[in-house]
Amino acid sequence: MDLLMLLAVGVGAAVVVAECSSGMIRTTFSAVPDRRAVLLAKAGVLATAMLGLGTVAAGVSFWAAQALLDRRHAGVSITEPGALRVVAAAALLAPVCALVGFGLGVLIRHAAATVVAGVLVLFLLPASFNENHAWSAAIVHALPLTAWRRLSWVDLTNVLLPPHPATVAGSWLAYAGWAVGSVLLAVTVGRRRDV
């Protein structure tokens, strides 16, 4: 998952940073003066493409893992409780991370700095907080990586839960919040900044 998240952040950043660094963004905004429409269209195409990539990656991973596990009589069907949720969460992680990269790319406008900021937000920020205190758990539960981890837990019988565990509904909301928040950041910054 880490590699998929890094790839998605990089693609999301490249969608906007490449055009800004080459100066082609001026041509785009001259052709379509409504910056909000341009950025929303870019975000929509990015999310759709990354959803396709995420779906293929999650689907192939699930079926390949189950083919290997089935040889040892340990495989599960996609209809097993929680299996579809895990595959859907893995598939949706790609567009969420890509939109984070997109929003950071509009804000920062430098490819390497955007990817570094994406790594900080997606990987290092979750490691800075824990679930032992309510305030810290609230922050860590709102992050995409933690949300994906919670959505990937199917059987909690052998899991030692922290004092303030994440919920499935809260994890889906974290996904939605990051996707929508990143697009809103891109639109807000993109409308006000000179090209």
Side-chain angles (χ1 to χ4, degrees), residues 3-115:
L3 186 59
L4 178 66
M5 291 173 69
L6 282 173
L7 173 72
V9 167
V11 169
V15 164
V16 70
V17 171
E19 202 170 10
C20 288
S21 64
S22 69
M24 289 301 296
I25 195 76
R26 291 183 192 93
T27 306
T28 302
F29 288 149
S30 295
V32 183
D34 186 2
R35 292 180 180 195
R36 182 178 58 196
V38 170
L39 292 171
L40 287 174
K42 284 180 175 289
V45 170
L46 173 67
T48 302
M50 294 309 291
L51 178 60
L53 174 69
T55 302
V56 168
V60 168
S61 296
F62 178 79
W63 298 117
Q66 295 318 309
L68 292 173
L69 290 172
D70 196 39
R71 292 180 185 168
R72 298 183 185 266
H73 306 290
V76 296
S77 169
I78 193 73
T79 59
E80 290 287 323
L84 186 59
R85 181 185 74 221
V86 172
V87 173
L92 288 170
L93 188 60
V96 168
C97 292
L99 289 173
V100 168
F102 179 76
L104 290 172
V106 171
L107 181 66
I108 299 170
R109 288 184 164 184
H110 187 272
T114 300
V115 173

Side-chain angles (χ1 to χ4, degrees), residues 134-179:
W135 67 270
S136 181
I139 293 170
V140 79
H141 293 167
L143 299 171
L145 183 60
T146 309
W148 177 79
R149 286 179 181 154
R150 174 57 185 100
L151 292 170
S152 66
W153 290 346
V154 177
D155 183 12
L156 299 177
T157 54
N158 294 325
V159 175
L160 179 61
L161 293 175
H164 304 282
T167 63
V168 171
S171 297
W172 287 122
L173 286 173
Y175 267 28
W178 277 93

Side-chain angles (χ1 to χ4, degrees), residues 123-134:
F123 297 106
L124 295 182
L125 197 56
S128 303
F129 298 95
N130 60 47
E131 296 174 281
N132 294 333
H133 304 287

Side-chain angles (χ1 to χ4, degrees), residues 109-122:
R109 288 184 164 184
H110 187 272
T114 300
V115 173
V116 168
V119 168
L120 290 173
V121 168
L122 295 175

